[in-house]
Amino acid sequence: MSLDEFFVTGDPLILGSQIAIGLTMVGLVALITYLKRWKWLWREWFTTVDHKKIGIMYILAGVLMFFRGGVDGLLMKAQTSRPELGFLDAQHYDEIFTTHGVIMILFMAMPLLIGIMNVVVPLQIGARDVAFPKLNALSFWLFFVGAMLFNISFVIGGSPDAGWTSYFPLAGKEFTPGVGNNYYAIALQIAGIGTLATGINFVVTIIKMRAPGMSWMKMPIFTWTSFVTSILIVAAFPIFTVALAFMSLDRLFGTHFFTVAAGGDPMLWLNLFWLWGHPEVYIVVLPAFGMFSEVIATFSRKNLFGYKSMVYAVAGIAFLSMLVWVHHFYTMGNSAAVNSIFSLTTIMIAIPTGVKIFNWLFTMRKGRIEFSNAMLWSLAFIPCFTIGGVTGVMLAMAAADYQYHNTMFLVAHFHYVLIPGVVFAVFAGLYYWWPKMFGFKLNEKIGKWHFWLFVIGFNMTFMPMFFVGLDGMSRRMYTYSESTGWAPWLGFSAVGSVVMAAGFAALCYNIYWSFRYASRDVGSDPWNGRTLEWATASPAPHYNFAVVPEVDRIDDFWYKKKEGKTGIKKSDLKPVHMPSNSWTPIFLGVAFGIVGFFLVFEWFTLAVISSILIVIGLVANSFDYDDGYHIPVDELEEEEREWRGELK
């Protein structure tokens, strides 16, 4: 392979990106070296097994991927803002909408949600860490390495270009012979293994590590949604793993799982992909529902209305999500009977989802609502998500879907589901739990700018897509003629995307401003919260709880505050066992990344040789007999006095 085949050349946008990436990396290394922070990074972050720090790293990675995916979206909007514009050619446009979809769903939404789950769930259930701390660190590094491997594709080798769904036969070697779709198969496989391990970890954590007295129906609703999400991950991600393995075998070794010529079937890929893909929608939406539930209850100063019905609704959504995958391809040769069955199961999901909407509304009814930024995002979610839900019911009707399918109407629909249902929730969760992570609040005034710019820009961007879709505009069109009459709608949509980007910029500025200037005197419970994460210091100490709390009822911390029973006794303090840092998770993550890179370019000899690194990491971990360490009572007492005052 020649150098100009290895590096993507000939496009000024990509050349600019290559220069920017190179300068940024050099600058970052120089800055860390100048500040003498390498040992600190290694000790405090790279080798940590603390669930809170791992969660923060997930969130930072998610924000970075939000920027990357957002730039892709802006480039697409720039290209379609005017008729017959030549800003991007067809190939570049195909690559951008492919990477935009993959990054936003798998490398932005997933890490942001899993990051918040990592920070919050152990605290909400009164645990000191997750069940398998080292596996948790490995999960992050596998995700991060997979994300980085996928992201270098646009400067090294070439981006995948078969859409985020990577349908065969287009994704096969016959039609896309370059290495771009190898990146898709290998990088998503590595990141998916990390996500599957996370699902297993949280299922075990929530089953086995709840505080004494916290029965199933006393768990916070966010913990419930995280638990059901983790079960969905365990159920759905192995399907995707198998599909990606088949794809890798087809592309790298010439097998024929998905190629018609040798007896394979492209529809097998569609079925496997959407058997994972539709549960994946709820894997990202269900934790978001839990976040909205926590925020709405806290800022309405009321118990969550219909707690048990919310739990049953979450379980019902998860169950039905595994029974609806065919609605993604009604038009691809199914019988009327098959389409009718999946149309019914799809419409049925609206029932438990409607239950949740009304429960949130009734929670706010007669509440003393505080319009914090977190609450504003929750309020904006309800009407915007309802638009996505109603148009989803329209798409669920198989006969009507023959008109809507593959149009911009569908694109508008899933953005009205996923942006309010995931991005709004992440913003609400960040504003709400930020003090628990860092010990200070994000600025509420700058946050209002973030809120209004983003919400207005979102509706400006995606509402016009419903109309051009109904007027016949197909998705994935990189250009169109002036005679279509779509230019005013798409120009308005492009302006909206810039407004939305300004909202994201306001969030980034808010984080910068708050780190520099925000008051650190916010207390342990700045929002007057209801659940156990607010029963410990802000930011939470590395051991979480000096004394494991006991739970008597739902929202137990809220009631104990009213009863004045939130303190701890000095006599209850005992040495706390904590896991030690470990180098093996980051080592294994990097090893998987090296092997994956060689597989992408089909350098099999180098891949086999470098796989020895994976074996070394696994063997080293097997002989790691470090059982952790104990925090002595006097250290616990000193840390607790810093925020509680004198102990009883």
Side-chain angles (χ1 to χ4, degrees):
M1 175 179 283
S2 62
L3 197 61
D4 64 334
E5 290 177 309
F6 184 74
F7 289 105
V8 178
T9 58
D11 189 306
L13 285 173
I14 293 177
L15 177 62
S17 299
Q18 289 168 332
I19 295 170
I21 290 169
L23 291 175
T24 301
M25 294 301 295
V26 170
L28 196 59
V29 170
L31 180 64
I32 296 171
T33 304
Y34 175 76
L35 296 174
K36 299 179 180 179
R37 284 291 188 173
W38 287 111
K39 286 184 179 179
W40 175 80
L41 281 172
W42 179 260
R43 184 181 65 252
E44 296 294 329
W45 295 96
F46 292 165
T47 61
T48 187
V49 295
D50 183 342
H51 70 95
K52 299 177 291 298
K53 289 182 177 178
I54 291 170
I56 289 168
M57 289 193 292
Y58 268 117
I59 291 167
L60 288 173
V63 171
L64 180 65
M65 291 297 99
F66 202 152
F67 173 78
R68 164 70 208 279
V71 169
D72 284 344
L74 288 171
L75 291 172
M76 286 190 288
K77 283 297 173 188
Q79 168 61 24
T80 58
S81 61
R82 301 299 304 156
E84 299 176 10
L85 206 59
F87 178 62
L88 300 173
D89 61 31
Q91 176 61 25
H92 199 176
Y93 190 84
D94 286 353
E95 293 174 359
I96 284 176
F97 77 66
T98 299
T99 55
H100 172 76
V102 174
I103 286 169
M104 285 303 204
I105 292 173
L106 290 169
F107 298 139
M108 182 278 288
M110 290 292 287
L112 286 171
L113 292 162
I114 289 176
I116 293 173
M117 285 167 57
N118 258 286
V119 172
V120 174
V121 169
L123 292 169
Q124 282 200 334
I125 63 174
R128 292 197 168 110
D129 211 311
V130 294
F132 308 115
K134 197 184 293 186
L135 181 65
N136 198 25
L138 177 61
S139 297
F140 169 75
W141 289 112
L142 288 174
F143 149 76
F144 185 74
V145 166
M148 293 302 102
L149 183 62
F150 186 86
N151 273 271
I152 65 170
S153 64
F154 80 107
V155 293
I156 298 177
S159 292
D161 58 359
W164 87 273
T165 55
S166 204
Y167 281 178
F168 281 79
L170 180 60
K173 265 292 182 65
E174 181 183 358
F175 294 100
T176 50
V179 300
N181 288 312
N182 292 355
Y183 273 111
Y184 182 101
I186 303 300
L188 269 59
Q189 187 84 287
I190 294 171
I193 293 169
T195 303
L196 178 59
T198 296
I200 294 168
N201 209 341
F202 274 89
V203 168
V204 177
T205 299
I206 294 169
I207 290 175
K208 301 295 290 183
M209 299 185 69
R210 300 193 307 278
M214 185 179 281
S215 61
W216 289 106
M217 285 301 169
K218 294 175 187 173
M219 290 199 313
I221 197 68
F222 178 63
T223 299
W224 258 115
T225 57
S226 299
F227 178 64
V228 174
T229 294
S230 300
I231 292 174
L232 270 180
I233 288 173
V234 174
F237 263 81
I239 302 171
F240 196 38
T241 300
V242 169
L244 289 169
F246 288 171
M247 179 181 183
S248 301
L249 290 170
D250 273 14
R251 289 192 58 85
L252 303 183
F253 300 106
T255 58
H256 298 283
F257 289 100
F258 306 125
T259 51
V260 176
D265 187 354
M267 288 302 296
L268 174 62
W269 169 264
L270 265 72
N271 279 278
L272 290 174
F273 182 89
W274 288 115
L275 267 167
W276 161 81
H278 201 84
E280 165 65 12
V281 172
Y282 292 98
I283 286 168
V284 295
V285 165
L286 287 179
F289 286 171
M291 292 182 206
F292 288 130
S293 299
E294 300 287 357
V295 168
I296 289 171
T298 296
F299 292 107
S300 297
R301 305 293 177 228
K302 286 178 64 184
N303 292 333
L304 183 66
F305 181 88
Y307 168 85
K308 287 187 178 180
S309 66
M310 287 288 253
V311 172
Y312 298 141
V314 169
I317 289 171
F319 175 74
L320 288 170
S321 75
M322 301 292 291
L323 304 176
V324 299
W325 77 94
V326 172
H327 72 215
H328 292 278
F329 45 92
Y330 283 142
T331 62
M332 298 184 188
N334 307 313
S335 69
V338 168
N339 280 355
S340 297
I341 290 168
F342 283 93
S343 183
L344 287 171
T345 57
T346 303
I347 292 170
M348 285 172 64
I349 284 194
I351 298 170
T353 306
V355 167
K356 300 176 80 61
I357 295 286
F358 283 106
N359 281 0
W360 290 319
L361 294 174
F362 282 121
T363 300
M364 290 185 280
R365 181 176 178 266
K366 296 187 177 180
R368 299 192 305 277
I369 297 175
E370 178 185 339
F371 293 100
S372 66
N373 278 318
M375 189 63 170
L376 287 177
W377 286 108
S378 303
L379 292 172
F381 151 77
I382 293 174
C384 292
F385 185 80
T386 300
I387 293 170
V390 169
T391 53
V393 173
M394 294 169 65
L395 287 157
M397 295 181 286
D401 187 62
Y402 271 75
Q403 298 301 315
Y404 305 133
H405 187 72
N406 248 15
T407 67
M408 295 301 278
F409 186 91
L410 171 63
V411 176
H413 153 72
F414 67 67
H415 281 87
Y416 263 89
V417 169
L418 289 175
I419 293 181
V422 178
V423 179
F424 286 16
V426 166
F427 291 154
L430 287 178
Y431 280 102
Y432 183 57
W433 281 302
W434 194 268
K436 190 52 59 180
M437 291 186 274
F438 298 106
F440 60 90
K441 295 180 181 179
L442 290 172
N443 183 275
E444 290 283 306
K445 185 175 181 181
I446 302 172
K448 297 291 193 299
W449 279 98
H450 168 212
F451 171 78
W452 287 110
L453 285 170
F454 197 93
V455 172
I456 292 169
F458 160 72
N459 283 285
M460 288 175 63
T461 302
F462 296 106
M463 185 62 74
M465 290 186 180
F466 284 120
F467 300 106
V468 294
L470 290 173
D471 199 29
M473 184 178 183
S474 173
R475 65 194 297 193
R476 309 187 186 98
M477 288 178 64
Y478 88 101
T479 190
Y480 56 96
S481 69
E482 191 163 358
S483 62
T484 58
W486 301 334
W489 291 112
L490 295 174
F492 184 77
S493 177
V495 172
S497 68
V498 175
V499 175
M500 191 161 55
F504 178 73
L507 170 65
C508 295
Y509 177 70
N510 197 352
I511 292 171
Y512 162 78
W513 189 95
S514 300
F515 262 104
R516 291 203 63 180
Y517 305 114
S519 170
R520 266 53 179 175
D521 186 21
V522 296
S524 61
D525 182 22
W527 308 119
N528 195 14
R530 311 181 72 84
T531 44
L532 284 180
E533 71 268 29
W534 305 109
T536 188
S538 295
H542 58 291
Y543 53 82
N544 291 355
F545 300 94
V547 177
V548 174
E550 294 189 14
V551 173
D552 301 320
R553 60 211 138 175
I554 186 70
D555 290 344
D556 189 66
F557 176 62
W558 170 267
Y559 291 106
K560 283 182 177 172
K561 282 192 294 185
K562 303 298 181 187
E563 298 163 1
K565 297 179 180 178
T566 58
I568 61 172
K569 297 178 181 178
K570 184 178 176 182
S571 59
D572 290 337
L573 293 177
K574 296 177 182 177
V576 172
H577 177 264
M578 295 298 294
S580 300
N581 284 7
S582 176
W583 60 271
T584 53
I586 186 172
F587 179 86
L588 281 167
V590 172
F592 269 94
I594 293 169
V595 174
F597 182 79
F598 290 144
L599 286 175
V600 165
F601 286 92
E602 301 178 27
W603 297 338
F604 299 123
T605 303
L606 290 173
V608 170
I609 294 170
S610 59
S611 64
I612 296 170
L613 294 172
I614 298 176
V615 175
I616 291 170
L618 293 172
V619 170
N621 186 66
S622 298
F623 286 94
D624 181 5
Y625 296 116
D626 187 342
D627 291 327
Y629 64 98
H630 285 85
I631 304 173
V633 170
D634 55 350
E635 185 179 330
L636 290 173
E637 185 179 342
E638 183 180 345
E639 287 206 36
E640 291 297 301
R641 275 182 174 156
E642 284 184 12
W643 68 278
R644 290 183 186 271
E646 205 59 39
L647 301 182
K648 297 178 184 177

